[in-house]
Each structure stands twice: as C-alpha cells, then as structure tokens.
Amino acid sequence: MKILVTGGAGYVGSHCVRLLKSKGHDVWVYDNLLYGHREATDPARLIVGDLLDQPAIEKAMRDHAIEAVMHFAALCYVGESVTDPAKYYRNNVVGTLNLLDAMRACGVGKIVFSSTCATYGVPQQVPIPEDHPQNPISPYGFTKLAVEKALEDYRAAYGIGYAAPRYFNASGASLDGSIGEDHDPETHLIPLVLDVALGKRDHISIFGTDYPTPDGTCIRDYIHVEDLATAHLAAIEKVQPGEAIRVNLGTGVGASVRQVITACEEVTGKKIKTVEGPRRAGDPPELVANPQGALDALGWRAQHTSVKETVASAWAWHKAHPNGYAG
Ligand code: UFG
C-alpha cells in the first residue's frame, strides 16, 4: 500500500514507519519537524510540510498516488493545551480537517488516527472498555475527541474508512536501540526517571502520593511503542473504506509511579532519588485499558506486558543517546 504518514518523524510515528516499510509498504512521511526528528526517518522519504497547508498535503498525496493515511501529527502536551487551547484546536482539529479534506479531494479512502485514553477523562470503570463514556478533562483530550467525531461523520457522509486506536501510555524504544523517545520538553515519567539514572537530573518528583491506589501513586498502562506499531499495521491492513474501528491500545496491566521507578532502578542498577510532591492537575488516579476490543477487532494484543521490559528498551536507547537525536 502507498501510505502517507503524518508525524512520521515523531516518537510513535517513526516506529510505525519502520514496521510498515519492513512489511513492504511504500511509505512517505509528512512532518513539519516542529517536534519530529529528521534523524528518526529516511530523508529520501520525508516531505517537510504542515497540516495547516492543505494544498501541500494534496500535492503529497497526488505526487505519490497515496492510498491510505496514518495520522500521528499532533500537539500532545496536556498542560500546554490548558494555557494555549487555540494552538491545540488549530493544529489538532483544523490540521486534521485539512488532512481529511485533502483525502476527499484525492480519493484516499482510509486513515488510522492516533487517539488517546485522554478522551475518556476520569474513568468510572477500570479497566476501561471502548464504550466507556468519553468526557475529556483537558483541551488536548477534547481535540482528539473532536477528531474522532469528525472521522465518524466523514465516514457516514463520504465513506472514508477509519481506525481510531486510543493509546494508553506510549513507552519504550525500538528493540534494536536505533530509534526512541526524544521530546523537548520532556514531561513523561519513564524518560524523566532515566534522566535521573543518567545523572542529567537530580531527582524525580512524584506527583501525588495520596491517590486511592495501593501505594498512593497514579496507575497507568504503559504500552510498548513497538506494540503500538504492530497494532497500526493491523489496523491499516484491516480497515476498509466506509468502515470504523475504535480500539484501546494498552496491555491491560497497570503500574504505579512507584512501581515504574523501582523498575527503572532494577534495569539501570542506579538508585533514583525521589521527591514527593503534590498532585498534578488533571491526572486521573488510574488509567488501564481493557484490551479485549483490540483483540476482537484486530487480532492484536500487546507482546510486552512487563513494565520492566519496556523500561529496559527505553534505557538501551537513553544510554546510547543521552542527548536524544541531537547527540
Ligand atoms: N509523573 C510523575 N512525575 C513526573 C512525571 C509524571 O509523578 O515527573 C506521573 C504522572 O502524574 C502520571 C504518571 O507519572 O501519574 C505518568 O505521567 P506521564 O506524564 O508520563 O503520562 P500521562 O499519563 O500524564 O500522559 C499520557 C500521555 C498523554 C495522554 C495521557 C492520557 O502522555 O498524551 O496519557 O491521560 F494524554
């Protein structure tokens, strides 16, 4: 298949691009390199462009006779989405509408869109099934939900098929250590803890120790980025024009902040200094996927279910690239 991958130079996108290529798909990356890394992708297959430039998207689709789209490009800092929602609605919603309208203009019939468990808001039930109510608590979550709604309306009216995998906490790095997670600024737990192990940070702050969980810290479902890639491959091959697939991508197993820190200590052999702090606004106590829907819809289940294994792959990348792609 000839696939256009927006955000293919970013963290999850770059891992998916590698897998798609290894399976023989003809892949073109469309990325504005605002957060993506040229080094994470094949420069000969990179189109530097922005989703706010619809003519450029259409040109990329026509030039390369694109048949399907994988759409990773988005802004994803929950906190920033609260202080600057305009930026999030413009990039995540308007940018995606441009992409969908370019697909209509060029006759591209299917898309896989990176959605998120943040569309559920504070869950009423854990593990979370796909039919759980979606009540996001941040503008970021709303932008992702708005796109899910647009996808469904575009499917019904124009016949565009879509898959909307809702990621839990994307983590880890490629098992061969060649690509990994490099955000600037970095806000995610695992890379920050590994920065402490590398001596780049003095300590990790634990955001809240009074949650209603066994050790008082938040529980998340850390899904390996290579598992996300296999799910996307299954989704793009499965979904057909006019169809909809909405699935959670998680392991079904939760780990607390303290458990993640312990796993990092075991993997790195370093003692991690922690400082217990207040809760971070907008953090639900527990987000864990019910993974049954993805098994039923895609025949997919996570292969890396131990957080220690996921941390080990992240550590291999971090150790070899202490300054990320810049180093
Ligand atoms: N945490 C700390 N200290 C830190 C950083 C994080 O204690 O320095 C805690 C957080 O409070 C949270 C857990 O570690 O309980 C994981 O935090 P991350 O920031 O790594 O990930 P989130 O669960 O906040 O965010 C992820 C994705 C978002 C998505 C969100 C859905 O990164 O894109 O899940 O809730 F929106």
Side-chain angles (χ1 to χ4, degrees):
M1 225 181 302
K2 295 180 192 303
I3 305 174
L4 187 71
V5 182
T6 76
Y11 172 43
V12 182
S14 61
H15 287 79
C16 286
V17 165
R18 278 173 39 130
L19 181 65
L20 291 171
K21 283 185 175 173
S22 76
K23 299 296 177 186
H25 291 294
D26 187 359
V27 182
W28 290 88
V29 167
Y30 189 89
D31 199 303
N32 64 8
L33 299 180
L34 185 61
Y35 291 109
H37 303 278
R38 199 178 283 277
E39 301 81 355
T41 195
D42 174 1
R45 289 272 167 162
L46 171 66
I47 301 158
V48 180
D50 201 287
L51 289 177
L52 297 178
D53 184 353
Q54 190 181 322
I57 308 172
E58 287 187 25
K59 180 173 186 323
M61 288 179 176
R62 291 212 167 91
D63 284 353
H64 304 295
I66 293 300
E67 297 165 292
V69 170
M70 276 202 191
H71 178 31
F72 298 95
L75 301 178
C76 66
Y77 293 105
V78 174
E80 185 187 49
S81 79
V82 177
T83 54
D84 194 358
K87 189 171 164 186
Y88 279 70
Y89 281 95
R90 191 174 310 111
N91 280 279
N92 294 3
V93 180
V94 176
T96 304
L97 295 179
N98 287 343
L99 180 65
L100 290 173
D101 289 335
M103 289 174 67
R104 291 174 60 206
C106 300
V108 179
K110 55 187 194 170
I111 180 169
V112 179
F113 162 68
S114 304
S115 191
T116 168
C117 65
T119 59
Y120 294 118
V122 180
Q124 301 160 2
Q125 176 191 351
V126 180
I128 305 172
E130 284 82 1
D131 61 2
H132 185 286
Q134 289 176 290
N135 296 308
I137 54 172
S138 69
Y140 166 72
F142 269 107
T143 64
K144 291 286 182 175
L145 182 57
V147 171
E148 283 199 21
K149 299 289 187 200
L151 286 169
E152 177 53 26
D153 291 342
Y154 273 56
R155 182 199 66 76
Y158 311 126
I160 292 179
Y162 73 93
R166 298 174 187 149
Y167 309 171
F168 282 64
N169 287 57
S171 331
S174 68
L175 296 182
D176 67 8
S178 59
I179 53 175
E181 187 167 11
D182 178 4
H183 292 116
D184 183 17
E186 186 55 82
T187 60
H188 296 102
L189 180 64
I190 292 175
L192 288 177
V193 177
L194 296 179
D195 279 349
V196 178
L198 281 175
K200 289 178 62 186
R201 301 174 69 90
D202 172 66
H203 65 272
I204 184 78
S205 300
I206 300 181
F207 296 151
T209 53
D210 59 349
Y211 282 98
T213 59
D215 69 17
T217 66
C218 284
I219 293 175
R220 294 287 179 273
D221 184 335
Y222 294 89
I223 174 78
H224 198 288
V225 66
E226 293 215 328
D227 278 329
L228 290 180
T230 59
H232 283 71
L233 174 69
I236 199 82
E237 290 183 345
K238 177 100 197 253
V239 73
Q240 296 303 319
E243 290 181 359
I245 297 174
R246 289 174 292 265
V247 286
N248 288 334
L249 296 184
T251 65
V253 181
S256 71
V257 174
R258 288 194 203 280
Q259 286 173 321
V260 168
I261 294 169
T262 301
C264 291
E265 289 185 326
E266 288 171 1
V267 165
T268 64
K270 313 261 187 198
K271 179 81 191 135
I272 305 292
K273 184 175 165 190
T274 59
V275 172
E276 296 186 0
R279 293 182 178 193
R280 183 172 68 178
D283 274 342
E286 185 172 5
L287 292 170
V288 175
N290 180 332
Q292 186 62 40
L295 186 60
D296 294 343
L298 299 175
W300 173 92
R301 66 153 61 96
Q303 299 302 309
H304 309 278
T305 51
S306 122
V307 77
K308 197 169 160 185
E309 194 189 332
T310 298
V311 165
S313 71
W315 178 234
W317 157 259
H318 259 71
K319 247 189 337 193
H321 304 86
N323 298 311
Y325 289 102

